[in-house]
Amino acid sequence: MAGAVVMALTWSVGPGVRAAYSTVADGDQHDPTCRAAFFRRVGVPHPCAITWQVHGARVVQASRALAGREDADGLVSTAADLAVGAFGADCPGVVLAAPDAVAVAHCGWRGQVAGIAPALVAALQTHSRHPPAMWHALVGPGISGARYEVDAPVLSARAWPATALAPARPGHAHLDLGQVLTADLQALGVGHITPSGVCTATHPDLHSYRQRGRGLVQLLVAWRE
């Protein structure tokens, strides 16, 4: 798989698109002041549209008016001068970059059951003149399967890819949500998919809800250079 080059917690996602993930040092990204400081640090040159995650599969058109006041898990934009962002702690985010449009989504297990990956791909298809085979995807930081044990209700909620499951204690399994996203995007025809390989539970600069309890929220942001 190809398409993203990692430098610390910033990436190139296909031609002309950058992505970055905030750290504990950047503070709680629900706070507009912390968010603005993070954007300055990583060089986001545009205003950023964000939504309030609801762990579903709703995708909306990005606009400057979206500053966390609308409930949705995905954003799609064709504006060259508008960034898009998705909050997260352990749930991975994903960036999709077409030559003429960008999308981002929060992809927890409930969203993946609801169909956030196909919803995001379908939304980007309506805004891009280019087929998914030409797109680039970044699967952002999230908790790794080795650190994420789930129970029977989660396991029965959908058909999880075999590559995303590993044995655990009886009635449980380790579920790798990043692997699920990768498999789903491959099945949807996305041509270039790169996992970040960053685990929020083991990376020293990140906060994990599963490992540390409630705390600050991080942000995956994408923008055109």
Side-chain angles (χ1 to χ4, degrees):
M1 297 179 191
V5 177
V6 66
M7 292 179 57
L9 294 181
T10 64
W11 301 263
S12 293
V13 190
V17 174
R18 297 286 293 169
Y21 195 75
S22 68
T23 68
V24 170
D26 293 309
D28 191 340
Q29 294 300 295
H30 281 163
D31 182 333
T33 301
C34 292
R35 197 160 60 242
F38 165 55
F39 291 164
R40 288 193 298 271
R41 180 178 72 79
V42 297
V44 179
H46 313 303
C48 182
I50 55 173
T51 56
W52 192 266
Q53 271 67 56
V54 292
H55 304 279
R58 184 171 182 240
V59 180
V60 297
Q61 173 73 42
S63 73
R64 284 172 174 76
L66 285 178
R69 293 187 292 270
E70 183 163 353
D71 293 342
D73 286 279
L75 283 165
V76 60
S77 174
T78 57
D81 58 351
L82 184 65
V84 288
F87 295 118
D90 283 323
C91 299
V94 64
V95 174
L96 295 181
D100 52 357
V102 177
V104 67
H106 170 271
C107 305
W109 77 263
R110 289 180 179 85
Q112 294 193 29
V113 167
I116 184 61
L120 194 68
V121 167
L124 192 57
Q125 283 180 304
T126 67
H127 289 81
S128 175
R129 295 177 288 106
H130 302 273
M134 293 182 62
W135 301 354
H136 293 260
L138 169 73
V139 177
I143 194 166
S144 63
R147 300 284 177 161
Y148 189 52
E149 186 182 79
V150 298
D151 57 11
V154 176
L155 293 172
S156 63
R158 62 161 277 182
W160 300 104
T163 54
L165 295 170
R169 58 197 168 106
H172 296 71
H174 293 286
L175 177 62
D176 193 312
L177 294 176
Q179 288 279 357
V180 176
L181 271 174
T182 298
D184 284 353
L185 293 171
Q186 287 175 332
L188 291 161
V190 176
H192 310 279
I193 307 165
T194 299
S196 70
V198 176
C199 175
T200 50
T202 59
H203 195 290
D205 298 328
L206 300 181
H207 178 83
S208 165
Y209 175 82
R210 177 62 69 100
Q211 295 293 311
R212 304 177 190 174
R214 292 190 179 275
L216 59 81
V217 172
Q218 289 141 173
L219 185 73
L220 177 66
V221 60
W223 69 96
R224 290 202 176 275
E225 295 183 292

